Amino acid sequence: MNIILLGPPGAGKGTQARRLVDDRNMVQLSTGDMLRAAQSSGTEMGKRVADVMARGELVTDEIVIGLIEEQIETVDAAGFIFDGFPRTLAQADALGELLEKEGETLDAVIEMKVDDEALVARVTGRSTCANCGEVYHDETKPQPADGTCAKCGASEFKRRPDDNEDSFRTRLLAYYRDTSPLIGYYYAKGQHVAVDGMADIEAVSAEIKEVLDRA
Ligand code: AMP
């Protein structure tokens, strides 16, 4: 089973993707994580995209389609969760072709609906465990007082350079301009389902589970 988690920055796609990985043995394919990994390891491509990402703009279709192609062709998985990909119509077309080539189907496109006002607060207070990726938030889920991650015990946390208000506005604009047309695209293909991304994490997981059980 292959699914897309679709939604604006801060909708909770990464959080829900990680839960599906734990619960269903699926593999999370986050182009954002792949691009950040390329930056940390200092590859040429990582250096090329660093500024674009810090500003909150989209990197080229060619780069992200290449990253996804490599994963789909080489990783053997019970299913893929596409997180933050596709973000443009060209990427959506390319994904359809890649899956078809592998004899795979796209089983659901789950849009996580969240109020715009909630997003900026979610993103600007966000930090993650550098080891396991557990997400914390300064107001709603502060890092444990003993300075260690509640999930894995590691003691290093990080904040994304694009989780600031200026970059967030650019990311939100990119979402509405380039990514939100995918809602109509997948609706027309009969693959779109919306869930309430404003509900708490457990409730969103439960709603996603229902969608997947029906798919
Ligand atoms: P994310 O971690 O999904 O929020 O992505 C962080 C940043 O990586 C985005 O703001 C873009 O600059 C870049 N990025 C990630 N995925 C894509 C994609 N599918 N297409 C274009 N740019 C992307």
Side-chain angles (χ1 to χ4, degrees), residues 3 35 50-51 61-62 80 91 103 133 141 157 170 178 193 197 199 211:
I3 65 165
L35 293 165
D51 285 347
D61 289 335
E62 195 191 349
F80 291 116
Q91 293 176 25
K141 188 183 166 192
F157 298 89
T170 308
D178 298 313
V193 189
V211 172

Side-chain angles (χ1 to χ4, degrees), residues 4 6 108-114 183 187 191-197 204 207-208 210-211 214:
I4 294 173
L6 189 68
V109 177
I110 302 175
E111 181 202 2
M112 302 179 60
K113 279 183 168 299
V114 182
I183 296 168
Y187 177 80
Q191 291 165 317
H192 169 265
V193 189
V195 300
D196 175 14
V204 178
E207 214 183 330
I208 290 177
E210 270 177 37
V211 172
R214 279 200 309 267

